[in-house]
Amino acid sequence: MTTETATTTQVYRVWIKAAPERIWAAITDPEWNGRYAYQAQSFFELKPGGSFHAAASKDMKEYAAAQGFDLPDTIIDGEVIECDPPRRLVQTWRMLMDPTTAAEPFTRLTYEIEETKTQPGVCRLTLTHELTGAPATATMVASTEDGAAGGGWAWILSDLKTLLETGAPFAG
């Protein structure tokens, strides 16, 4: 893998003891996706050409105000490209909560949910984020061991796994 590839395509995998339908719901249903990671509900129109957006939570808005900056109501937007429940979701994705990332082009996010053959009841969730032309977004979503940028995709997927397997997110 070249340095250019590493910064423009990020791939994350997590194995979750849950049915594909539960994982799909945790990703696409705002009642689920608002319970883990940053607790920002995401709304999908689950069809090609359908809209996608994530809304800032009350806590996020309060934190931003305390830090002296405004946070838009819609913090991430995009469009559904492919939808094959409960196996595959492809969408565009743009972070709007920072002026630098908001100025970058839409990126491409793919979720793939696969049942494992050797471990009944366990699925592999692979998230691929294609970030060509979006270096600030690539930095924001990259996973870092010290938790910079909130921990990025690895942290989000780990919290999703924790919620599905234990019934409570990290902060819960």
Side-chain angles (χ1 to χ4, degrees):
M1 178 183 299
T2 67
T3 302
E4 178 66 19
T5 302
T7 58
T8 59
T9 302
Q10 297 177 15
V11 180
Y12 302 93
R13 285 188 184 90
V14 64
W15 283 259
I16 304 172
K17 190 170 187 173
E21 295 79 10
R22 286 190 68 224
I23 298 168
W24 180 267
I27 294 166
T28 62
D29 182 340
E31 294 302 317
W32 271 101
N33 59 41
R35 293 176 56 198
Y36 61 91
Y38 302 99
Q39 287 82 42
Q41 290 184 307
S42 294
F43 300 88
F44 292 86
E45 188 180 11
L46 291 170
K47 64 180 184 178
S51 65
F52 159 76
H53 76 277
S57 69
K58 179 180 175 246
D59 289 345
M60 293 172 89
K61 298 281 265 181
E62 288 173 358
Y63 176 81
Q67 300 303 311
F69 65 93
D70 289 325
L71 191 64
D73 291 333
T74 297
I75 56 172
I76 304 169
D77 71 348
E79 180 179 307
V80 174
I81 298 169
E82 249 182 83
C83 184
D84 181 17
R87 306 281 178 228
R88 182 175 167 86
L89 176 64
V90 182
Q91 66 180 94
T92 61
W93 195 92
R94 178 180 57 174
M95 187 179 296
L96 302 172
M97 49 201 273
D98 174 83
T100 305
T101 59
E104 291 182 334
F106 283 94
T107 59
R108 183 179 172 114
L109 193 63
T110 302
Y111 294 92
E112 295 175 294
I113 302 166
E114 302 169 271
E115 294 180 84
T116 61
K117 294 177 183 6
T118 57
Q119 294 291 319
V122 175
C123 289
R124 179 177 65 197
L125 171 59
T126 303
L127 181 142
T128 303
H129 200 161
E130 298 170 54
L131 295 143
T132 302
T137 302
T139 299
M140 292 281 272
V141 300
S143 298
T144 59
E145 199 171 305
D146 65 1
W153 282 120
W155 184 79
I156 291 168
L157 295 177
S158 295
D159 202 20
L160 180 153
K161 172 186 171 65
T162 299
L163 174 63
L164 288 172
E165 291 181 347
T166 70
F170 293 151

